[in-house]
Amino acid sequence: MINKENLVITIVGNRPQFIKMAPVSAEISKRGYKEYIIHTGQHFDDNMSKVFFDELNIPQPNLSLSLGTGSHGKMTALMLMELEIILQEKKPSGVIIYGDTNSTLAAALAAVKLHIPIAHVEAGPRIYDINTPEEINRIVADHAAKLRFCPDIVSVQNLAKENILNGVYFTGDVMFDSYLIFSKVAREKSTIINSLNLNTNEYALLTIHRPNNTDTEDALKRVIKVLENAKMKIVFPVHPRTEAAFKRHGLWESLKAINHAKVIPAVGYLDILELINNAKIVLTDSGGLQKEAFFAGKPVLVLFHTTPWPQIQSCGWQKCCWDNNGIDVNRVIELISSYMPTNRRPNLFGDGNAASKIVDLLENHGWFK
């Protein structure tokens, strides 16, 4: 008989991780197992954190760390210190981590030093740029993990290049699971399309959050130039960090004054799904949003020098808009109203049952014995 008292700890800290954990946590609960959820507080704003737990029907965290804000090093160190204490106290049978954030890195380091098995969900993506913090985080997490659940075949191949061959599984993408489940909920519950007076396929959706696009005045001015010169309406939900950057450089009022731009606060998952599903095109530097747009059959202009999902680019469903100095404004303006892929969208990210496969594998490796 299975012992339902074995404790598995899940550690998350930001929007993409909440979305990825939702179907896995639901599957764990459905099978009667115990899961202890730690929220590191990496996203502490309610629009970036609490609202996602509420909308995704994820159990509220058993523990939330209140660490405040700081540099990458400071926040990672504080999380590492706190997580080490908790893991020593709880003695879990394993730790589940997601993606490539500072929370992922801190959790991986804390667990591996204590010889606690790690399962890394969304293992294997690479952009081969170690100047990008997320790349370092995902490399460390993949090498520290015992079980690596890959969203696509390219990720499996990336791990093989690093001689990571054991404990590697192509499960499909848990974000695809969530997309399929919650798009239906979003159609029923979200009112954002009506409240913003939007028409389907008549606007672009823009998001930015990476330091390359937010940390300098020139980078922010490029975003404003895109908005000013685009020949269509653009909806721009502004990440709290991005809003702070615009205000710090004295550009916030200029941004809000652009007539055909709808500058709104960051929104919850159901609203962002509705905005994606009804947009004509998506402009983003977010790897997660690139995939969600692909799931929805929307073309993407990547506002970054590379993508963790080169296979989407290879099949013609995204184009990179970047020059030596940042966002390639002229290319964005050219493509925003004309780019429409004609290629078939291949099945790159599994069948929508990744969470079930992941929990099967955790069972098979004795995490819930």
Side-chain angles (χ1 to χ4, degrees):
M1 181 176 178
I2 293 175
N3 176 8
K4 306 283 183 171
E5 295 305 310
N6 264 34
L7 183 67
V8 168
I9 290 183
T10 291
I11 300 173
V12 290
N14 76 347
R15 167 196 182 274
Q17 292 173 332
F18 309 148
I19 295 166
K20 291 164 191 169
M21 75 175 284
V24 178
S25 292
E27 189 68 24
I28 290 171
S29 176
K30 185 173 78 174
R31 301 191 193 189
Y33 299 129
K34 289 184 67 175
E35 179 187 28
Y36 188 93
I37 298 171
I38 299 174
H39 179 7
T40 66
Q42 187 169 332
H43 275 175
F44 52 88
D45 182 276
D46 274 356
N47 278 352
M48 302 303 293
S49 180
K50 182 178 182 298
V51 66
F52 285 90
F53 280 87
D54 294 341
E55 289 183 342
L56 297 171
N57 198 28
I58 304 170
Q60 288 299 311
N62 299 88
L63 180 64
S64 294
L65 306 182
S66 300
L67 302 178
T69 60
S71 66
H72 283 282
K74 177 183 177 183
M75 295 305 297
T76 305
L78 290 172
M79 285 188 276
L80 176 56
M81 290 169 59
E82 293 288 332
L83 292 172
E84 182 180 59
I85 294 169
I86 298 160
L87 295 180
Q88 286 176 319
E89 175 191 337
K90 297 295 181 182
K91 297 180 173 59
S93 55
V95 170
I96 303 175
I97 58 177
Y98 292 83
D100 55 16
T101 68
N102 289 335
S103 300
T104 311
L105 175 63
L109 291 173
V112 75
K113 296 285 187 179
L114 295 171
H115 307 290
I116 298 169
I118 300 165
H120 186 200
V121 179
E122 198 183 75
R126 295 289 186 268
I127 62 172
Y128 299 103
D129 178 7
I130 60 171
N131 292 317
T132 303
E134 292 87 350
E135 185 80 347
I136 299 295
N137 296 345
R138 62 175 71 103
I139 290 171
V140 173
D142 284 336
H143 283 263
K146 292 290 186 184
L147 301 175
R148 305 161 186 92
F149 302 134
C150 297
D152 57 354
I153 294 299
V154 173
S155 293
V156 174
Q157 294 168 343
N158 290 340
L159 293 176
K161 292 175 187 175
E162 297 171 22
N163 202 32
I164 302 176
L165 303 172
N166 297 322
V168 176
Y169 301 93
F170 168 51
T171 58
D173 198 324
V174 288
M175 286 191 74
F176 188 35
D177 292 25
S178 287
Y179 174 81
L180 293 174
I181 295 165
F182 292 105
S183 282
K184 298 174 185 176
V185 179
R187 281 196 298 272
E188 297 171 0
K189 293 188 174 182
S190 174
T191 61
I192 195 164
I193 301 300
N194 288 335
S195 66
L196 293 179
N197 194 28
L198 298 171
N199 295 319
T200 299
N201 290 325
E202 292 186 3
Y203 67 90
L205 174 65
L206 166 68
T207 77
I208 59 165
H209 73 281
R210 292 186 182 276
N212 309 64
N213 287 324
T214 60
D215 280 4
T216 68
E217 183 177 354
D218 178 70
L220 295 169
K221 284 183 175 178
R222 285 172 181 255
V223 175
I224 288 176
K225 285 180 182 177
V226 166
L227 289 162
E228 287 176 336
N229 292 283
K231 294 178 173 60
M232 67 187 306
K233 185 179 294 183
I234 298 182
V235 180
F236 183 16
V238 184
H239 189 289
R241 184 179 178 280
T242 304
E243 178 178 342
F246 275 106
K247 290 179 176 177
R248 184 168 62 250
H249 291 285
L251 297 171
W252 182 243
E253 295 305 321
S254 298
L255 176 68
K256 292 198 299 179
I258 301 170
N259 287 332
H260 57 276
K262 289 187 176 287
V263 179
I264 61 174
V267 297
Y269 184 49
L270 299 184
D271 283 343
I272 203 71
L273 284 180
E274 273 295 273
L275 288 172
I276 293 169
N277 287 333
N278 287 280
K280 180 180 179 182
I281 191 168
V282 173
L283 290 64
T284 187
D285 60 7
S286 163
L289 210 68
Q290 290 172 37
K291 284 191 299 183
E292 288 163 335
F294 180 75
F295 301 154
K298 305 296 178 178
V300 174
L301 302 183
V302 178
L303 307 182
F304 198 52
H305 67 86
T306 187
T307 172
W309 316 112
Q311 63 273 47
I312 299 179
Q313 190 165 309
S314 295
C315 71
W317 279 82
Q318 66 174 216
K319 291 185 182 294
C320 182
C321 294
W322 196 262
D323 61 27
N324 291 333
N325 299 306
I327 293 172
D328 187 338
V329 175
N330 292 332
R331 182 167 166 80
V332 174
I333 293 167
E334 174 195 348
L335 291 172
I336 191 170
S337 55
S338 64
Y339 173 40
M340 179 50 63
T342 56
N343 298 353
R344 180 184 65 87
R345 263 187 314 135
N347 179 5
L348 300 175
F349 297 98
D351 59 6
N353 292 298
S356 177
K357 294 172 184 176
I358 285 169
V359 179
D360 283 346
L361 287 162
L362 294 176
E363 284 182 329
N364 292 342
H365 283 84
W367 280 42
F368 300 110
K369 63 185 177 182

